[in-house]
Amino acid sequence: MQPIISGKRDLKAPHVVIIDDDESVRNAMENLIRSLGYSAEAFGSAKAFLESNTIQTASCLISDIHMPEMSGVELQRHLSAAGHRTPIIFMTARPNDATRARVIGDGAIGYLNKPLCERSLLASLNQALNLHENEF
């Protein structure tokens, strides 16, 4: 995969979208994803993401569970109802077994606890991108 050149997205590289209301998490995740050679784009809320139409180019979403206005769970339901099958990896600072079971049952690729284990994140990311590549 090739990195972003001149601030523009390389259309051949998978496009990973990060959605988290915590700016430091967004920036760190975006930098990590780009360091892996993928295209990355970050949003501070599910609403901002949905208003952007980026779902059309996203290869994978990495979303926080707990956010104001629209939670990650609500985002997953909204995307599913609209027919989008983009793989989602969830992350949370407040893990909950019932929420984990719900999002995984609804098709999420991963449910990771913050602070993130880089190995778990990379394994989930590889699984999500492989799924996206094979379905689209």
Side-chain angles (χ1 to χ4, degrees), residues 15-93:
H15 186 56
V16 179
V17 175
I18 300 107
I19 306 166
D20 197 307
D21 59 318
D22 183 327
E23 184 177 9
S24 63
V25 171
R26 280 195 317 269
N27 291 339
M29 290 290 294
E30 190 172 16
N31 289 333
L32 173 63
I33 298 302
R34 286 186 177 164
S35 76
L36 297 170
Y38 303 127
S39 168
E41 188 172 2
F43 294 90
S45 70
K47 182 180 175 185
F49 165 69
L50 291 171
E51 290 173 351
S52 74
N53 290 321
T54 300
I55 189 63
Q56 305 304 325
T57 60
S59 303
C60 171
L61 305 179
I62 301 174
S63 178
D64 191 12
I65 289 280
H66 302 283
M67 296 181 288
E69 296 183 37
M70 177 183 266
S71 72
V73 175
E74 292 167 329
L75 173 63
Q76 182 185 35
R77 280 192 225 135
H78 176 84
L79 293 173
S80 180
H84 295 288
R85 298 186 335 234
T86 304
I88 302 174
I89 300 166
F90 284 108
M91 55 187 171
T92 184

Side-chain angles (χ1 to χ4, degrees), residues 94-131:
R94 296 179 274 173
N96 175 289
D97 290 337
T99 302
R100 175 191 302 271
R102 171 188 249 166
V103 298
I104 297 296
D106 288 343
I109 298 300
Y111 182 93
L112 308 174
N113 298 335
K114 292 179 183 178
L116 298 178
C117 166
E118 191 171 323
R119 187 178 341 165
S120 296
L121 173 62
L122 295 178
S124 293
L125 183 58
N126 285 332
Q127 183 181 355
L129 294 175
N130 285 334
L131 179 65

